[in-house]
Amino acid sequence: TQLLEQSPQFLSIQEGENLTVYCNSSSVFSSLQWYRQEPGEGPVLLVTVVTGGEVKKLKRLTFQFGDARKDSSLHITAAQPGDTGLYLCAGRYTGNQFYFGTGTSLTVIP
Amino acid sequence: NAGVTQTPKFQVLKTGQSMTLQCAQDMNHNSMYWYRQDPGMGLRLIYYSASEGTTDKGEVPNGYNVSRLNKREFSLRLESAAPSQTSVYFCASREGGFQPQHFGDGTRLSIL
């Protein structure tokens, strides 16, 4: 059973376009993290959101945690080829166990 | 600063062989994790260790065993490898609280 569903699974866009990736669950998380993974490497943390309704910005990336802390979104403005990679969300209830989403593979075409 | 180091990086096994994947972290983190990553499945937790001396099952523990050798090292053992265990295995560590996980670069394991 996949507790976190990400959509879309694959995304191919032109450089300069905007995009949004979604991470949804029926469960309430105490915190949620977004990671980016490049081929042959482990995931690298982008952001952690903790409070319902929280919005965080990291240059052209905007992350939002849903009011009920069951969902999150990642919006990229003016995508660049360097944004290409696999984007993963990961939620934590309490304790030390994390549940990862299915991932969104993004390709930005120059 | 090495972070999380996994060995080996690649391995091919025959069905029924055994193997231990090694993981070491130099960040003095309390918690360590083993995940497997398969296409379209994201990362799934196999086992984790909240602190030295403790281990707990994750989502997919069957066919695996772990040892938290000390605070730095957390190993994953396949006693009798099966083709279904072909995957990329990632080790991670974190301090605790809302701190993030730090991942190694993975071990690519193929079982024939």
Side-chain angles (χ1 to χ4, degrees):
Chain A
T1 302
Q2 198 75 35
L3 295 178
L4 276 171
E5 297 290 339
Q6 280 186 244
S7 61
Q9 187 174 358
F10 299 97
L11 194 54
S12 182
I13 62 172
Q14 295 289 329
E15 182 177 358
E17 292 184 346
N18 302 332
L19 67 115
T20 302
V21 176
Y22 299 94
C23 177
N24 295 296
S25 174
S26 59
S27 304
V28 176
F29 292 104
S30 62
S31 66
L32 190 139
Q33 298 174 337
W34 283 93
Y35 292 83
R36 180 167 166 266
Q37 184 179 20
E38 298 197 31
E41 299 181 5
V44 176
L45 181 77
L46 295 173
V47 75
T48 299
V49 286
V50 176
T51 306
E54 182 176 7
V55 176
K56 284 192 172 180
K57 292 190 175 183
L58 185 65
K59 296 183 180 178
R60 293 175 294 99
L61 278 61
T62 301
F63 304 86
Q64 185 162 7
F65 202 13
D67 291 341
R69 290 186 289 134
K70 293 183 179 181
D71 56 270
S72 182
S73 63
L74 158 60
H75 182 79
I76 301 179
T77 303
Q80 298 177 0
D83 296 327
T84 294
L86 179 67
Y87 289 82
L88 295 159
C89 61
R92 183 171 74 98
Y93 297 113
T94 58
N96 290 288
Q97 192 162 345
F98 289 79
Y99 294 89
F100 277 80
T102 46
T104 295
S105 180
L106 172 64
T107 301
V108 181
I109 303 166
Chain B
N1 194 353
V4 178
T5 302
Q6 291 184 235
T7 55
K9 294 188 184 303
F10 302 94
Q11 185 70 49
V12 178
L13 295 177
K14 293 182 179 179
T15 298
Q17 287 185 316
S18 62
M19 170 161 193
T20 299
L21 279 59
Q22 307 287 351
C23 175
Q25 52 95 6
D26 61 2
M27 297 171 282
N28 201 37
H29 285 168
N30 291 314
S31 302
M32 298 186 72
Y33 304 78
W34 275 106
Y35 292 90
R36 60 178 289 173
Q37 186 173 33
D38 302 293
M41 300 290 290
L43 279 81
R44 291 182 292 169
L45 183 65
I46 305 171
Y47 271 93
Y48 67 101
S49 171
S51 60
E52 186 179 355
T54 68
T55 60
D56 288 284
K57 294 179 179 179
E59 297 172 76
V60 289
N62 292 343
Y64 306 95
N65 286 299
V66 290
S67 295
R68 184 75 183 264
L69 304 171
N70 46 57
K71 193 171 186 179
R72 290 187 64 247
E73 298 172 290
F74 189 38
S75 62
L76 178 71
R77 182 160 178 85
L78 287 70
E79 290 290 352
S80 179
S84 61
Q85 294 177 305
T86 292
S87 187
V88 181
Y89 291 85
F90 286 98
C91 177
S93 71
R94 76 183 193 106
E95 176 57 33
F98 293 115
Q99 295 302 309
Q101 297 174 84
H102 297 260
F103 286 85
D105 285 337
T107 294
R108 284 141 189 85
L109 182 62
S110 293
I111 298 158
L112 307 177

